[in-house]
Amino acid sequence: MVPVGIVGANGFLGGELVRLLAQHPHARVAALCAGRSAGQQLSDIRPSLRGPADGPLEAFDADLLASRCEAVFLALPHGKSAEAARELRARGVLVIDLGSDFRIADPAAHARWYGREPGAPELLDSAVYSLPELTGPPPADAGLIANPGCFATALALTLAPLAPALGEGTEVTVFGVTGSSGSGIEPQAGTQHTLRVNSFTAYKPLRHQHLGEVEQLLARRGAVPRVRFVPHSLPAPRGIHLTVVLDAATVGDVRARYEAAYGEAALVDVVDGVVPMGAVLLSCRTLLGVEPRGDDVVVTCALDNLLKGGSGQAIQNLNLVRGWSETAGLPVVGSWP
Amino acid sequence: MVPVGIVGANGFLGGELVRLLAQHPHARVAALCAGRSAGQQLSDIRPSLRGPADGPLEAFDADLLASRCEAVFLALPHGKSAEAARELRARGVLVIDLGSDFRIADPAAHARWYGREPGAPELLDSAVYSLPELTGPPPADAGLIANPGCFATALALTLAPLAPALGEGTEVTVFGVTGSSGSGIEPQAGTQHTLRVNSFTAYKPLRHQHLGEVEQLLARRGAVPRVRFVPHSLPAPRGIHLTVVLDAATVGDVRARYEAAYGEAALVDVVDGVVPMGAVLLSCRTLLGVEPRGDDVVVTCALDNLLKGGSGQAIQNLNLVRGWSETAGLPVVGSWP
Amino acid sequence: MVPVGIVGANGFLGGELVRLLAQHPHARVAALCAGRSAGQQLSDIRPSLRGPADGPLEAFDADLLASRCEAVFLALPHGKSAEAARELRARGVLVIDLGSDFRIADPAAHARWYGREPGAPELLDSAVYSLPELTGPPPADAGLIANPGCFATALALTLAPLAPALGEGTEVTVFGVTGSSGSGIEPQAGTQHTLRVNSFTAYKPLRHQHLGEVEQLLARRGAVPRVRFVPHSLPAPRGIHLTVVLDAATVGDVRARYEAAYGEAALVDVVDGVVPMGAVLLSCRTLLGVEPRGDDVVVTCALDNLLKGGSGQAIQNLNLVRGWSETAGLPVVGSWP
Amino acid sequence: MVPVGIVGANGFLGGELVRLLAQHPHARVAALCAGRSAGQQLSDIRPSLRGPADGPLEAFDADLLASRCEAVFLALPHGKSAEAARELRARGVLVIDLGSDFRIADPAAHARWYGREPGAPELLDSAVYSLPELTGPPPADAGLIANPGCFATALALTLAPLAPALGEGTEVTVFGVTGSSGSGIEPQAGTQHTLRVNSFTAYKPLRHQHLGEVEQLLARRGAVPRVRFVPHSLPAPRGIHLTVVLDAATVGDVRARYEAAYGEAALVDVVDGVVPMGAVLLSCRTLLGVEPRGDDVVVTCALDNLLKGGSGQAIQNLNLVRGWSETAGLPVVGSWP
């Protein structure tokens, strides 16, 4: 069993890593770190995690992590991974970062999308942005893996196989929704239950920061359509759902394009019709639905933001880099309810 | 106090009519009818309606309604209004139909959108489709008012002021969401709580029946863009929210167009930025949000499907046809929570 | 129209006061104050309140409030009312406090339940704790009215008519639930949407601070049963529901006792069976349900925590002290959905 | 891999069996049956179950099941298991019934609680009611296992260790809540989303049918307190939570009693304080919380109605009867969110 560490174990992504790794056939958790909560029992903060989380949370300590772990997952707020990754890489530890610090390779693009310089620019060249169905398995000698964002995963899986047909600059309007766990566990106005539970609202219209990594990924493959993406806050705890309407004449046989791209993919399924978000919750699967109608084609995409859009994909990346089964320890069948 | 009747008082729209009319300054409920539930107390079925709903529900009886009421609201399932309207009109009663039977004037178009012939074709010519902010107040001698559909109200208020700039045939993609009350009170698979509450799904993509009346309304005003509308089921009980992304170069100053159209409207407000659906719940208001960004403009629209999208607009129509204040008895300030 | 002020207009209780007073036949809002948010538009913070909330929020200023208002509602966090009330009373303004600072007359009891001394002990003697169905209308010359807590209102309405039969010291176990708006608008761990929405938990078991005012109210009427009250956090935005199981032999004819107590009450209804919480939402009504079964009687109570349990009761108190209709401006028919 | 069948695969309990068995190390699904849905793909009805559910659902056929399966789970509506169990037992197949047909051994008691005679009275003697933490592992030669009800599991785990101290006839009042999945997948009034989502209501107060099996279990162990149980409908999809307040003088050291009973139990954990329902969702664990306060002790219990209260416990029973690890294939760490 390969020993791994989780930094940021008290958040939603960190908690899902704890939960999934408790069942993993090849990896075991050897260290759980959390900043402010160091010294507390994880199960006192996140009582669902009793058992595998026994023992106090530790403060981040690169030496200690390096001595105990072969790989470390960073599940930290945006901008907090750079320093931790630098220290761990200096000690030769494999780092899988679930944050945004290493997703965009170009420092100027990073600054444009995140409003600040990257925290560890010297590591950007070696960071591997890994969305395996599109970028292939990360190399076995990867030292720093940048795990894609939740919306970015959905946008890229939906658009990449169609981008060549759409062509450079073609406008594609994508409507997305996300559950509240996407905003993290820290209480804030946007996730106050009373106001969230019966409402629905667009946010960051046309300027969500995940567009940066999607553009980068599409550019590496060729033509980049102009993606007009409007995300919305859903009154649900988890899940992502996208809807796109495309011109059939331009885009051609969408189902065939998806089959060609994902026919061998263990975690992406293509179906006729629309896909309900409920069908992927608690699973690591992405569902793509294709519904032609007259001159148009309606494409919908659903995934669990904390699994395929976060912790599940991070473990998928660990599996691939270590040469294990791609889906080791990952739930493929969802729970709805 | 003008005596009015409600047919279908046990449904969601019927219940909202009961609730609102209990506070109306000029109208009072003189008859409550319900099919299967006749003989029961409304408050036994809908306990929130205690008080104004005392006394047993009655079976539909046109003579009785005509003897007691000057106006009758029909809040029946689709296709059930035709016969009731025919009988009531034959007795000279003003009918305000909240269903779809009289919304589309052209029998062929009706058949195309609803998959059946209109039930009372002889009344179509005299029916007044009334979305007052766009069609003006219904004439004082109107005998049959067709109240718009919930999504149709939102689509028309959003698109009508922009249609001349968009021009004939221009594609406009609209993403919409609706709360579960839009599916009515009868239990069905789509509103089963367990499966609905954490999910989200598109339905009837590009073929929602409300498009028929929107096209008709737009055609009467001039150019008709090609509306690609994808509605979605929201895990919330009420409310409608639309999102549209438009080319700024084509559509021009959206805010100015809306101000020109709705500057005098008591129930439509235009704001900068996006509009959260919560802000209109339990109110009869429509909010339109305009957020320009680079070459694009993001427009969002929110209304309460049971009020401005249903019972509130029906009372607004009664107010106007009787010459009362347009907002008499209607809540303008919402409740969130 | 009597001019009134609202201090703490940006919270949930303050917002409901704004909403309700916008429709009040005898009072109008003449001042809206908020601490941190002074200078902002209320509708920018609470967009549902557009219209009556136009104009910037003001900082609390007793002179200004006294010059403009005949009565002022304080809707502030616990412990923040004392100083504001002192200043307003010194200027002769009628104060209706929705907080807890003046509910408990005995300073020692206050300190025991709230963990701190009362902030304005010199005002306690003149403060009128007013739960009108039990304490009668407040006197016309009242200067400071302490509005009951949400759970306290439900507990007192449920238990007071039965207390004489139960007798001193008899154990009564009450199970209560509350919607998340009871925790206020400030984001906090207990109202983080993701964790709240599918969960349910007891909190402050047997030690909720509202028990203090309930014991005081019961003691003023005679025998005080020993109330074992366990409140729970409900995954819903608003509403309170209580359940009590009583020995029929001890408590006698519960329905008759309630009818005797509330037969004339405009805002308390007694029904056979159980009462769903949904039936009182958005109304100022309390429903009491009585279901005998063998040797036992099951009593359930439902009210809206922000209305009968808060802002609605505060307006009821204003109505009574001014001699207006008890229900002026108050919704009696609820909205479910 | 032992081949097993699932009858009623299209319901909530059936679906959870499919999901869990897809990961089971010793059993594999060899037949999926469903009544009305026979011939359809399970994944067309329950799209979360894609993969393990490929191939059409079959109609119930005892010969076929016996030829293919060593054990069959019956996840059918109440009253529908009797005939299926009879046919399968006649063919020597191990039957694990998740319904209520075989839970109560005494036909008269069955009739009293369910309002009808048991459907297969000749099998009652051989049926093993198995709640393993209390009744021990079922014997290896068991042919028919009656899996406890969801509320019954929670009630029994909470009360059984305390019953000797409470003594015969002592009143114990228990308040319970359940998520909507407890009502099954068929749409019905109580699970209509619009009305359920913001409400809360007691139902079947003091007369829930699960009390029958709890009384039977307690009687087999000795003293039977008089359980006054009031279940409530929660606006959440899954989970069960109980609250009990006990006299400390009577019940003694509750934590010690639970530790004695469950110290070795893999699926029951005892903690100090209260237990949030969220902490057990999607896990097969039961949490018991003990919070003493003065003369009283507050006990709370939480479990997932579909797992420890249903399909998870059914697999636990299979594991035990086959001699596998008790928790094989069962999630112990929950997912919250």
Side-chain angles (χ1 to χ4, degrees):
Chain A
M1 299 286 277
V2 170
V4 302
I6 301 169
V7 181
N10 51 340
F12 288 143
L13 288 172
E16 287 296 77
L17 288 168
V18 172
R19 181 173 72 91
L20 295 174
L21 289 167
Q23 309 276 344
H24 199 284
H26 309 303
R28 64 175 178 82
V29 173
L32 292 175
C33 300
R36 282 184 302 184
S37 307
Q40 291 188 264
Q41 293 281 343
L42 178 54
S43 61
D44 287 344
I45 312 172
R46 305 289 313 279
S48 54
L49 299 175
R50 285 176 62 81
D54 291 350
L57 291 165
E58 298 178 273
F60 177 83
D61 179 327
D63 286 326
L64 209 73
L65 283 164
S67 74
R68 278 202 239 145
C69 306
E70 293 186 28
V72 169
F73 294 96
L74 303 180
L76 295 168
H78 297 310
K80 303 292 186 192
S81 296
E83 185 53 32
R86 180 184 284 134
E87 295 189 32
L88 291 166
R89 286 306 301 136
R91 287 157 182 82
V93 181
L94 169 63
V95 173
I96 301 179
D97 181 31
L98 285 81
S100 56
D101 293 25
F102 301 104
R103 289 179 191 155
I104 298 185
D106 173 20
H110 182 103
R112 199 164 61 244
W113 284 103
Y114 287 98
R116 59 168 181 268
E117 301 301 313
E122 78 281 9
L123 295 178
L124 289 179
D125 274 356
S126 65
V128 178
Y129 182 84
S130 181
L131 201 168
E133 290 82 0
L134 295 173
T135 58
D141 64 349
L144 171 55
I145 294 177
N147 208 54
C150 50
F151 266 133
T153 300
L155 286 164
L157 289 172
T158 302
L159 296 176
L162 312 179
L166 293 169
E168 186 74 22
T170 307
E171 277 171 5
V172 181
T173 302
V174 183
F175 167 87
V177 303
T178 179
S180 59
S181 55
S183 299
I185 200 170
E186 285 299 314
Q188 52 182 275
T191 54
Q192 202 280 341
H193 174 273
T194 319
L195 295 177
R196 175 107 181 194
V197 74
N198 287 335
S199 190
F200 181 81
T201 192
Y203 70 99
K204 299 183 189 170
L206 309 186
R207 54 189 159 85
H208 193 282
Q209 67 277 8
H210 287 181
L211 283 172
E213 54 186 287
V214 173
E215 286 180 6
Q216 170 185 277
L217 183 146
L218 295 178
R220 288 173 180 170
R221 300 167 61 94
V224 182
R226 191 162 86 83
V227 181
R228 305 196 299 187
F229 173 51
V230 185
H232 297 75
S233 294
L234 193 67
R238 60 198 289 167
I240 274 181
H241 182 283
L242 303 183
T243 305
V244 199
V245 186
L246 299 158
D247 294 317
T250 307
V251 84
D253 186 338
V254 173
R255 171 123 203 181
R257 292 185 193 278
Y258 283 151
E259 295 287 2
Y262 304 125
E264 304 301 306
L267 294 173
V268 180
D269 277 5
V270 185
V271 301
D272 291 324
V274 296
V275 293
M277 194 180 81
V280 298
L281 297 178
L282 275 297
S283 97
C284 205
R285 176 148 49 193
T286 298
L287 279 181
L288 286 164
V290 181
E291 178 152 336
R293 176 150 180 96
D295 297 336
D296 303 304
V297 185
V298 178
V299 173
T300 49
C301 173
L303 56 78
D304 187 310
N305 61 311
L306 298 179
L307 296 183
K308 182 58 183 170
S311 303
Q313 188 155 252
I315 292 173
Q316 180 187 8
N317 276 321
L318 176 67
N319 290 341
L320 290 168
V321 82
R322 297 294 299 217
W324 302 328
S325 160
E326 184 173 4
T327 59
L330 298 178
V332 180
V333 181
S335 179
W336 184 30
Chain B
M1 299 288 277
V2 169
V4 302
I6 302 169
V7 181
N10 51 340
F12 288 143
L13 289 172
E16 286 295 79
L17 288 169
V18 171
R19 181 173 72 91
L20 294 174
L21 289 168
Q23 309 277 344
H24 200 283
H26 309 304
R28 63 176 179 82
V29 172
L32 292 176
C33 300
R36 284 185 301 185
S37 307
Q40 291 187 264
Q41 293 281 341
L42 178 53
S43 62
D44 287 344
I45 312 172
R46 304 288 315 278
S48 55
L49 299 175
R50 286 176 61 81
D54 291 350
L57 291 164
E58 298 179 273
F60 177 83
D61 179 326
D63 285 327
L64 210 73
L65 283 165
S67 73
R68 278 202 240 147
C69 306
E70 294 185 27
V72 169
F73 294 95
L74 303 180
L76 295 168
H78 297 309
K80 302 293 186 191
S81 297
E83 184 54 31
R86 179 184 283 132
E87 294 188 33
L88 290 166
R89 287 305 302 135
R91 287 157 182 83
V93 180
L94 168 63
V95 173
I96 301 179
D97 181 32
L98 284 81
S100 56
D101 294 23
F102 301 104
R103 289 181 190 154
I104 297 184
D106 172 21
H110 182 103
R112 198 163 65 242
W113 284 103
Y114 288 97
R116 59 167 182 270
E117 300 300 313
E122 78 281 10
L123 295 178
L124 289 178
D125 275 355
S126 66
V128 178
Y129 182 83
S130 181
L131 201 168
E133 290 82 0
L134 295 172
T135 58
D141 64 350
L144 172 56
I145 294 176
N147 208 53
C150 50
F151 266 133
T153 300
L155 286 164
L157 289 171
T158 302
L159 297 175
L162 312 179
L166 292 169
E168 187 74 21
T170 306
E171 277 170 5
V172 181
T173 304
V174 183
F175 301 97
V177 303
T178 179
S180 60
S181 55
S183 298
I185 201 169
E186 285 299 315
Q188 51 182 277
T191 54
Q192 202 280 341
H193 174 272
T194 318
L195 296 176
R196 174 109 182 192
V197 73
N198 287 333
S199 190
F200 182 80
T201 193
Y203 70 99
K204 298 183 190 170
L206 310 185
R207 54 189 159 85
H208 192 282
Q209 67 279 6
H210 286 181
L211 283 170
E213 53 186 287
V214 173
E215 285 180 5
Q216 169 186 275
L217 181 147
L218 294 178
R220 288 172 180 171
R221 299 167 61 94
V224 182
R226 189 162 87 84
V227 181
R228 306 197 297 188
F229 173 52
V230 185
H232 297 77
S233 294
L234 193 67
R238 59 198 289 167
I240 273 180
H241 182 283
L242 304 183
T243 304
V244 198
V245 185
L246 298 159
D247 294 317
T250 307
V251 83
D253 186 338
V254 173
R255 171 121 202 182
R257 293 186 193 278
Y258 282 151
E259 295 287 1
Y262 305 126
E264 305 300 306
L267 293 174
V268 180
D269 278 5
V270 185
V271 300
D272 291 324
V274 297
V275 294
M277 195 180 81
V280 299
L281 297 178
L282 276 297
S283 98
C284 204
R285 176 148 48 194
T286 298
L287 279 180
L288 285 165
V290 182
E291 179 153 334
R293 178 154 178 93
D295 296 337
D296 304 304
V297 185
V298 179
V299 173
T300 49
C301 173
L303 55 78
D304 187 311
N305 62 311
L306 298 179
L307 296 184
K308 182 58 183 169
S311 303
Q313 188 155 254
I315 292 174
Q316 180 187 9
N317 276 321
L318 176 67
N319 290 341
L320 290 168
V321 80
R322 298 294 297 218
W324 302 329
S325 160
E326 184 173 3
T327 59
L330 298 177
V332 180
V333 181
S335 180
W336 183 31
Chain C
M1 299 287 277
V2 169
V4 302
I6 302 169
V7 181
N10 51 339
F12 288 144
L13 289 173
E16 286 295 79
L17 288 168
V18 171
R19 181 175 71 92
L20 294 174
L21 289 168
Q23 308 276 345
H24 199 285
H26 309 304
R28 64 177 177 81
V29 173
L32 293 175
C33 300
R36 283 185 301 184
S37 307
Q40 291 187 263
Q41 293 281 342
L42 178 53
S43 61
D44 286 344
I45 312 172
R46 306 287 316 277
S48 55
L49 300 174
R50 284 175 63 82
D54 291 349
L57 291 165
E58 297 178 274
F60 177 82
D61 179 326
D63 285 326
L64 210 73
L65 283 164
S67 73
R68 279 202 239 147
C69 307
E70 293 185 27
V72 170
F73 295 96
L74 302 180
L76 295 167
H78 297 309
K80 302 292 187 193
S81 296
E83 185 53 31
R86 180 183 284 134
E87 294 188 32
L88 290 167
R89 286 304 302 133
R91 287 159 181 80
V93 180
L94 169 64
V95 172
I96 301 179
D97 181 30
L98 285 79
S100 56
D101 294 23
F102 300 104
R103 290 180 190 154
I104 297 185
D106 174 20
H110 182 102
R112 198 163 61 244
W113 284 103
Y114 288 97
R116 59 167 182 269
E117 301 300 313
E122 78 281 8
L123 295 178
L124 288 179
D125 275 357
S126 66
V128 178
Y129 182 84
S130 181
L131 201 169
E133 290 81 2
L134 295 172
T135 58
D141 64 351
L144 172 56
I145 294 177
N147 207 53
C150 51
F151 266 132
T153 300
L155 286 164
L157 290 172
T158 302
L159 296 175
L162 311 179
L166 293 169
E168 188 72 24
T170 306
E171 275 169 7
V172 181
T173 303
V174 184
F175 166 87
V177 302
T178 179
S180 59
S181 55
S183 299
I185 199 170
E186 285 299 315
Q188 52 182 276
T191 53
Q192 201 280 341
H193 175 273
T194 318
L195 295 176
R196 174 109 183 193
V197 73
N198 287 334
S199 190
F200 183 79
T201 193
Y203 70 99
K204 299 184 188 169
L206 310 185
R207 54 190 159 86
H208 193 281
Q209 66 278 7
H210 287 180
L211 283 171
E213 53 185 289
V214 173
E215 286 180 6
Q216 169 185 277
L217 182 147
L218 295 178
R220 288 173 179 170
R221 300 167 60 96
V224 182
R226 189 161 87 84
V227 181
R228 306 196 298 187
F229 173 52
V230 185
H232 297 75
S233 294
L234 193 66
R238 59 198 290 167
I240 274 180
H241 182 284
L242 303 183
T243 305
V244 200
V245 185
L246 299 158
D247 294 317
T250 306
V251 82
D253 186 338
V254 173
R255 170 123 202 179
R257 293 185 193 277
Y258 282 151
E259 295 286 2
Y262 304 125
E264 304 300 307
L267 294 174
V268 180
D269 278 6
V270 185
V271 301
D272 292 324
V274 297
V275 294
M277 195 180 80
V280 299
L281 296 179
L282 275 296
S283 97
C284 204
R285 176 149 46 194
T286 298
L287 280 179
L288 286 164
V290 182
E291 178 152 336
R293 177 153 180 94
D295 297 336
D296 304 303
V297 185
V298 179
V299 173
T300 49
C301 173
L303 56 78
D304 187 310
N305 61 313
L306 297 179
L307 296 184
K308 182 59 182 169
S311 303
Q313 188 154 253
I315 292 174
Q316 181 187 9
N317 276 321
L318 176 67
N319 290 341
L320 290 168
V321 80
R322 298 294 300 217
W324 302 328
S325 160
E326 185 173 5
T327 59
L330 298 178
V332 181
V333 181
S335 180
W336 184 30
Chain D
M1 299 288 277
V2 170
V4 302
I6 301 169
V7 181
N10 51 340
F12 288 143
L13 289 172
E16 286 296 79
L17 288 167
V18 172
R19 181 174 71 91
L20 294 173
L21 290 167
Q23 308 276 343
H24 199 283
H26 309 303
R28 64 175 178 82
V29 173
L32 292 175
C33 301
R36 282 185 302 184
S37 307
Q40 291 187 264
Q41 292 282 341
L42 178 53
S43 62
D44 287 343
I45 312 172
R46 306 288 315 278
S48 54
L49 300 174
R50 285 175 62 81
D54 291 349
L57 292 165
E58 298 178 274
F60 177 84
D61 178 326
D63 286 327
L64 210 72
L65 283 164
S67 74
R68 278 202 240 147
C69 307
E70 294 186 27
V72 169
F73 295 95
L74 303 180
L76 295 167
H78 297 309
K80 302 292 186 193
S81 297
E83 184 55 29
R86 180 183 283 132
E87 294 188 34
L88 290 166
R89 286 305 302 134
R91 287 158 182 82
V93 180
L94 168 63
V95 172
I96 301 180
D97 181 31
L98 285 79
S100 56
D101 293 24
F102 301 104
R103 291 180 191 154
I104 297 184
D106 173 21
H110 182 103
R112 198 163 62 244
W113 284 103
Y114 288 98
R116 57 166 182 269
E117 300 301 314
E122 78 282 9
L123 295 178
L124 289 178
D125 275 354
S126 66
V128 178
Y129 182 84
S130 181
L131 201 168
E133 290 83 0
L134 295 172
T135 58
D141 65 348
L144 172 56
I145 294 177
N147 207 53
C150 50
F151 267 132
T153 300
L155 286 164
L157 289 172
T158 302
L159 296 175
L162 311 179
L166 292 169
E168 187 73 22
T170 307
E171 276 170 6
V172 181
T173 303
V174 183
F175 300 97
V177 303
T178 180
S180 60
S181 55
S183 299
I185 200 169
E186 284 300 314
Q188 51 181 278
T191 53
Q192 201 280 341
H193 174 272
T194 319
L195 295 176
R196 174 108 182 193
V197 74
N198 287 334
S199 190
F200 181 81
T201 194
Y203 69 99
K204 299 183 189 169
L206 310 184
R207 54 191 159 82
H208 192 282
Q209 67 278 8
H210 288 180
L211 283 170
E213 54 186 287
V214 174
E215 285 180 5
Q216 169 185 277
L217 182 147
L218 294 178
R220 288 172 180 171
R221 300 166 61 94
V224 181
R226 188 162 86 84
V227 181
R228 307 196 296 187
F229 173 54
V230 186
H232 298 76
S233 294
L234 193 66
R238 58 198 290 166
I240 273 180
H241 182 284
L242 302 184
T243 305
V244 199
V245 185
L246 298 159
D247 294 317
T250 307
V251 83
D253 186 338
V254 173
R255 171 120 203 183
R257 294 185 192 279
Y258 283 151
E259 296 286 2
Y262 304 126
E264 304 301 306
L267 293 174
V268 180
D269 278 6
V270 185
V271 300
D272 292 323
V274 297
V275 293
M277 195 179 81
V280 298
L281 297 178
L282 275 296
S283 99
C284 204
R285 175 147 51 193
T286 298
L287 279 179
L288 285 164
V290 182
E291 179 154 334
R293 177 153 179 93
D295 297 336
D296 304 304
V297 185
V298 179
V299 173
T300 48
C301 173
L303 56 77
D304 187 310
N305 61 311
L306 297 179
L307 296 184
K308 182 59 182 169
S311 303
Q313 188 156 251
I315 292 174
Q316 181 187 8
N317 276 321
L318 176 67
N319 289 341
L320 290 167
V321 82
R322 298 294 299 218
W324 302 327
S325 160
E326 185 173 3
T327 59
L330 298 178
V332 181
V333 181
S335 181
W336 183 31

